[in-house]
Amino acid sequence: MLKDLRSLNYNEMSTEIINLGFPKFRVNQIFSWVHEKCVESFDEMTNLSKEMRSQLADHFYITRLNVNTKLISKLDDTVKYLFVLPDGEYVESVVMKYKYGYSICISTQVGCKMGCKFCASAIGGFVRQLSVGEMLSEIYTAQNDLKIKINHLVLMGTGEPLDNYDNVIKMIELISDEKGQNMSMRHISLSTCGIVPRIYDLAEKKYGLTLSISLHAPNNRIRSMSMPINKSYDIDELLKACRYYSEYTGRRISFEYAMIKDVNDSDDCALELADKLKGMLCHVNLIPVNNVRETSYVKSSVERQKKFIDILSSRGITATVRRTLGSDINASCGQLRASKRNK
Ligand code: SAH
């Protein structure tokens, strides 16, 4: 069976290529074609002979994504892709332009098992894991298509990254490999709904990345209503893991909190949240909940958001409202794929 070259890290590629009888210096060349120059075919590897290229093609393939839909925001140049995977499934990625460069938000699974009530990605359930090569291809394809260098990565698209732990870890190590894209760990954010044992595993890696926690509630009563994961790992276990993570790695945790009108946006919720996060190296990111067609949740008012922030700040917790990009193209993940599935 053919193997995906894009899913191999340097050591694996090295073993495979040397086993084929290639001299060692060829490994660096091939790794660079695959992960630095992001080519999609063996024919583009112009410093290899025709024979070598055909030998590679006998043993390997390179994962390719096709662009099914590409939407460009007229407001802020945000680009949203609906990619087709080799087996015909769809994934979404969003490229955002910031002052500091380009950032991409990628999916880590096809669908999601987590079932959060407010989330478009949960609709239709889980289909399958994304491979290392497929996740990298979201980045490489967007980069090639837009002819840009993407230097920030956000694992906040469809799927739960810590539920595809091994592939996500390998992908993170590959994208930050200095022989490949050489992306700084400091430029990577990973968002989780709170799979507690994997948070401890991730802490052990001591990566410089930013861990984001989708908290969305200050207590178990509210959190369990919209996030089923809270029944497996409750808020106290989760926050204990977060405290451990930030102390062990020295990295600030980012808490995502989608403000939902009359659900989690009261003054009491803010007070309870401030109390739970007291003393932790953290930041709260308020997100005005996106009105997903399939749910009845409504955004909190701007006044509510401001009051919430005031209460948190007065108790020493820094909080900001996340900027919305690409609002004219439904740029939040899951929405495009969900609309495809409904057709
Ligand atoms: N599974 C991961 C990453 C995917 S979700 C996680 O749960 O963190 C990415 C972020 O978008 C999460 O914080 C998620 O809770 C949030 N989100 C999902 N649906 C949303 C909506 N309708 N409005 C605002 N934020 C939403």
Side-chain angles (χ1 to χ4, degrees), residues 118-119 155-157 159-161 191-193 214 216 256 258 287 289-290 292:
F118 43 77
C119 183
L155 304 182
M156 248 196 209
E160 167 49 49
S191 180
T192 177
C193 63
S214 297
H216 306 318
E256 308 296 309
I287 317 161
V289 76
N290 276 304
V292 176

Side-chain angles (χ1 to χ4, degrees), residues 147-166:
K147 302 189 173 51
I148 54 170
K149 169 86 179 161
I150 293 173
N151 45 28
H152 287 71
L153 172 64
V154 190
L155 304 182
M156 248 196 209
T158 296
E160 167 49 49
L162 298 188
D163 186 45
N164 186 10
Y165 186 80
D166 292 341

Side-chain angles (χ1 to χ4, degrees), residues 105 108-109 112 114 116 118-121 155-162 190-194 212-216 227 256-259 287-292 295 297 322 332-333 335:
C105 174
T108 52
Q109 298 179 316
C112 186
M114 300 299 139
C116 302
F118 43 77
C119 183
S121 302
L155 304 182
M156 248 196 209
T158 296
E160 167 49 49
L162 298 188
L190 183 154
S191 180
T192 177
C193 63
S212 287
I213 305 288
S214 297
L215 196 60
H216 306 318
M227 300 184 70
E256 308 296 309
Y257 196 103
M259 296 277 287
I287 317 161
V289 76
N290 276 304
N291 301 335
V292 176
T295 69
Y297 291 128
R322 187 197 284 162
S332 307
C333 277
Q335 300 186 15

Side-chain angles (χ1 to χ4, degrees), residues 113-342:
K113 295 175 200 164
M114 300 299 139
C116 302
K117 298 276 189 315
F118 43 77
C119 183
S121 302
I123 300 161
F126 176 75
V127 179
R128 68 169 177 85
Q129 303 289 7
L130 288 178
S131 71
V132 175
E134 286 171 331
M135 286 185 272
L136 288 172
S137 296
E138 295 180 65
I139 308 166
Y140 296 174
T141 312
Q143 205 164 246
N144 287 343
D145 181 59
L146 296 169
K147 302 189 173 51
I148 54 170
K149 169 86 179 161
I150 293 173
N151 45 28
H152 287 71
L153 172 64
V154 190
L155 304 182
M156 248 196 209
T158 296
E160 167 49 49
L162 298 188
D163 186 45
N164 186 10
Y165 186 80
D166 292 341
N167 286 346
V168 163
I169 290 295
K170 194 168 163 193
M171 185 275 291
I172 288 173
E173 295 198 343
L174 262 168
I175 198 75
S176 55
D177 191 315
E178 58 186 20
K179 297 180 288 306
Q181 292 296 304
N182 194 19
M183 188 183 282
S184 162
M185 281 279 184
R186 295 280 165 135
H187 292 179
I188 301 176
S189 296
L190 183 154
S191 180
T192 177
C193 63
I195 302 188
V196 167
R198 297 288 90 73
I199 294 176
Y200 287 105
D201 291 343
L202 188 65
E204 286 308 315
K205 302 278 181 194
K206 288 215 171 195
Y207 292 151
L209 56 72
T210 299
L211 179 63
S212 287
I213 305 288
S214 297
L215 196 60
H216 306 318
N219 58 44
N220 285 322
R221 188 182 60 77
I222 302 177
R223 196 164 194 265
S224 292
M225 280 191 309
S226 55
M227 300 184 70
I229 188 74
N230 200 64
K231 293 175 188 146
S232 308
Y233 307 106
D234 75 13
I235 202 163
D236 298 320
E237 286 176 82
L238 173 59
L239 293 178
K240 192 174 157 202
C242 292
R243 275 182 203 277
Y244 175 83
Y245 187 95
S246 68
E247 280 160 22
Y248 190 74
T249 63
R251 302 289 296 156
R252 186 172 82 159
I253 304 262
S254 172
F255 288 102
E256 308 296 309
Y257 196 103
M259 296 277 287
I260 310 172
K261 185 172 185 295
D262 298 332
V263 173
N264 64 1
D265 65 347
S266 67
D267 289 356
D268 282 348
C269 283
L271 288 166
E272 201 176 354
L273 181 63
D275 193 47
K276 288 256 163 67
L277 302 183
K278 203 160 68 192
M280 201 188 311
L281 184 60
C282 71
H283 178 88
V284 175
N285 235 325
L286 294 182
I287 317 161
V289 76
N290 276 304
N291 301 335
V292 176
R293 196 172 27 156
E294 291 79 358
T295 69
S296 56
Y297 291 128
V298 174
K299 267 189 191 69
S300 304
S301 66
V302 173
E303 294 70 47
R304 262 291 90 216
Q305 296 169 19
K306 285 198 177 122
K307 186 77 194 298
F308 208 89
I309 290 185
D310 286 347
I311 294 175
L312 291 177
S313 325
S314 70
R315 279 160 179 74
I317 311 284
T318 61
T320 45
V321 178
R322 187 197 284 162
R323 225 175 102 210
T324 307
L325 287 176
S327 53
D328 58 329
I329 54 166
N330 250 356
S332 307
C333 277
Q335 300 186 15
L336 204 58
R337 182 171 164 268
S339 69
K340 193 91 192 163
R341 298 182 73 259
N342 287 341

